[in-house]
Amino acid sequence: MQEPSYVLEISHLNKCFGTHEVLTDISFTVQTGDVTCIIGASGSGKSTLLRCINFLEDPTAGQILFHGRDAETQWKRAEYHAKVGMVFQSFNLFNNMTVLDNCVAGQVKVLGRDRKTAVQKSVQYLDKVGMAPYQNARPAQLSGGQKQRVAIARALAMDPEVLLFDEPTSALDPEMVGEVLAVMRDLAQGGLTMLIVTHEMSFARDVANRVIFMDQGLIAEDGAPSEIFTQPKQARTREFLSRVLNR
Amino acid sequence: MQLPSSFFGWVGFLLEKYGNLFLLGTGMTLLISLTGTVIGFVIGLIVATLRTIPVNRRTPGTVRALKALLNVLLNLYIEVFRGTPMIVQAMVIYYGAMQAGLIARGTPIPVVAIFIVSINTGAYMAEIIRGGIISVDKGQKEAAQAIGMTHWQSMVSVVLPQAVRNIMPSIGNEFVVNIKDSSVLNVIAVSELFFMSKSAAGAYLRYFEVFAITAVIYLILTFTVTRILRLIERKMDGSATYTILGSQTFSQSAITIREEKKEG
Ligand SMILES: Nc1ncnc2c1ncn2[C@@H]1O[C@H](COP(=O)(O)OP(=O)(O)O)[C@@H](O)[C@H]1O
Ligand SMILES: [Mg+2]
């Protein structure tokens, strides 16, 4: 093959809620191992973009290709979801299950793994995020940072190729942000393809190999962190960065 | 034979003479209300799950149309069975089915009774469960979807267990209502507690004493059921404690964490 093989290709994505156009003609590509951070002001459409990529929202127009095949029509939905995982701002751990079962459920129901293998795999990933000792706890008994680390383990247990993160640390108390970012940094070093919406600018600068700045539903600027953070081309990028960096 | 002259004398006399009747009636009432509540609950779960089937832009027009039709039918079912008294439903279903030849004369009447209570309860349960589903955070369904679960899988393993936990008090209430309201089935000669009491009262014309006994039996039933359901609720909440599995260094002393339990 000559052309670069993209994991994800988003092309001309559009999303309207009624008459309100939230995403306008979004196109970008993701290669294996890319760590892409999406930054931008609140309300600029970052969450909606991730939710469209994962079909939690129905795109109004446009196409999402996963390994060159249309994610909507040429992939089985369950298979696509297993390969493209998501970590939410509000964790969304299954409240009716223990930590362990949170990680086991998807493997058994969706991937058809037997319970024993699923448990092994779950413990392995819970260990990776430092939550193995808590496998019998229920979500309500954990702190925010612990919940988010379990949510990451739950997503990893599905053996995803891409993980989408929607502001994974925004709902955390400041002292817990570090533990979650450390896990994510680890994953990035391990070569996992990640698409991360975040307000953690230092994380974006240090860990991402690419930063997308969104403004009012558009990709306003897109480039390496060194470019975006040191010499942004657009005035609105400069303005946004000076606002968030000088807090 | 010497007939009793006091209230308690009569109560003792009637219990001795008609104890069996009371027992059979109680058994039948329990059977009908328990089975009816359980089947009604299952109907409610199915209806609620059907009503929440999602559609998206790729859903074919025919599927959309079918789903719209299904919704109309389910709403009709709920409106009709919530909007008419069960005593009337019993008459219409029993005599209607008989006239249509759907039930032969020999069909055991308890089966008909359970059918009526189930379908009536199902209509209420569908709405109660809908409320329960709304009470579960939207993120739960989304997280299930995001790891690839289908609508049915996410409903069965994530949403409904939480919805059901939230509505346990209402489900218990339905059971209690069924214990009491199955008494209306005496109009189609179901041998439940009220029907049996009527027979017992008729012989000596002691309506007050017999129905005092009947009232106490109903009260015992409903009280017991309420207590049992409380216990089940407790059980569903799971253990309030969990054990931090010992790592190498802590293996001697697995630590048990106790959660502060709010009394609801
Ligand atoms: N379900 C929805 N219905 C209507 N409008 C929505 C919905 N979700 C998001 N929006 C709107 O879309 C815009 C972008 O929202 P969002 O993607 O959450 O932004 P961000 O994540 O960048 O803060 C906002 O104006 C928001 O009000
Ligand atoms: Mg957002």
Side-chain angles (χ1 to χ4, degrees), chain A residues 51 54 56 58-62 72-73 78 81 88 92-97 105-106 109-110 133-137 141 154 158, chain B residues 55-58 137-140 142-149 153 157-158 161-162 237-245 259:
Chain A
R51 293 168 59 81
N54 214 14
L56 292 176
D58 233 3
T60 309
E72 224 175 342
T73 56
H81 273 144
F88 299 86
N92 298 348
L93 290 182
F94 303 136
N95 292 325
N96 58 323
M97 300 181 193
K109 306 254 170 204
V110 180
Y134 296 85
Q135 54 188 273
N136 294 323
Q141 298 165 322
R154 172 176 70 182
M158 302 296 289
Chain B
V55 292
N56 60 34
R57 65 170 174 165
R58 301 280 162 173
D137 177 31
K138 200 157 94 350
Q140 296 284 307
E142 291 185 350
Q145 241 177 297
I147 56 171
M149 288 195 196
Q153 286 172 334
S157 48
V158 176
Q162 295 180 51
D237 285 340
S239 161
T241 65
Y242 67 95
T243 303
I244 295 184
L245 297 187
E259 183 190 14

Side-chain angles (χ1 to χ4, degrees), chain B residues 198-226:
Chain B
K198 258 196 335 193
S199 328
Y204 294 89
L205 297 176
R206 304 308 301 188
Y207 285 93
F208 171 60
E209 287 82 359
V210 164
F211 280 98
I213 296 172
T214 309
V216 170
I217 298 177
Y218 273 118
L219 200 57
I220 292 171
L221 287 183
T222 52
F223 184 79
T224 315
V225 161
T226 316

